[in-house]
């Protein structure tokens, strides 16, 4: 469960940083991967935080929000199924 909390915290921090530092005119949407195809079970707990943050910085605000919503739904399913 700590991994899930860490993932959500990282997403929220990325969104906050993104909103502060990036002008929306300079954002290039990342259309390479479908946001719905994320498998949170494949996320490794020992992954590089720096690389992950760099990848999140490349996403648009809309993509970050979609990813956060999917993460919340995944967490809610884990909690509900216990």
């Amino acid at each position: 469960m700590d991994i899930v909390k860490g993932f959500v915290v990282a997403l929220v921090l990325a969104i906050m940083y993104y909103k502060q530092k990036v002008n929306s005119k300079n954002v290039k949407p990342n259309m390479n991967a479908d946001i719905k195809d994320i498998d949170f079970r494949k996320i490794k707990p020992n992954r590089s935080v720096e690389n992950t943050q760099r990848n999140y910085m490349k996403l648009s605000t809309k993509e970050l929000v979609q990813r956060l919503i999917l993460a919340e739904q995944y967490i809610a399913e884990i909690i509900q199924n216990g």
Side-chain angles (χ1 to χ4, degrees), residues 37-50:
D37 291 337
I38 298 170
D39 187 1
F40 293 108
R41 293 172 293 179
K42 293 183 179 179
I43 296 174
K44 297 177 183 171
N46 58 348
R47 65 188 175 155
S48 169
V49 176
E50 292 84 15

Side-chain angles (χ1 to χ4, degrees), residues 5 13 27 38-39 59 66-67 70 72:
K5 289 178 184 177
L13 290 175
V27 175
I38 298 170
D39 187 1
L59 299 176
Q66 288 174 341
R67 196 175 274 248
L70 288 174
E72 289 176 342

Side-chain angles (χ1 to χ4, degrees), residues 2 6 21 32-33 38 49-50 62:
D2 289 331
K21 300 291 180 184
N32 295 339
I38 298 170
V49 176
E50 292 84 15
K62 184 176 180 178

Side-chain angles (χ1 to χ4, degrees), residues 59-80:
L59 299 176
S60 69
T61 304
K62 184 176 180 178
E63 290 168 322
L64 288 170
V65 169
Q66 288 174 341
R67 196 175 274 248
L68 179 60
I69 290 169
L70 288 174
E72 289 176 342
Q73 289 173 334
Y74 179 75
I75 293 167
E77 288 175 12
I78 289 173
I79 292 171
Q80 185 177 20

Side-chain angles (χ1 to χ4, degrees), residues 13-55:
L13 290 175
I15 291 170
M16 289 171 43
Y17 180 84
Y18 182 87
K19 286 184 177 184
Q20 289 176 354
K21 300 291 180 184
V22 178
N23 186 343
S24 63
K25 294 178 187 174
N26 298 329
V27 175
K28 296 177 186 174
N30 182 4
M31 299 298 178
N32 295 339
D34 187 11
I35 196 79
K36 302 246 181 210
D37 291 337
I38 298 170
D39 187 1
F40 293 108
R41 293 172 293 179
K42 293 183 179 179
I43 296 174
K44 297 177 183 171
N46 58 348
R47 65 188 175 155
S48 169
V49 176
E50 292 84 15
N51 289 343
T52 304
Q53 184 177 11
R54 194 176 310 117
N55 290 335

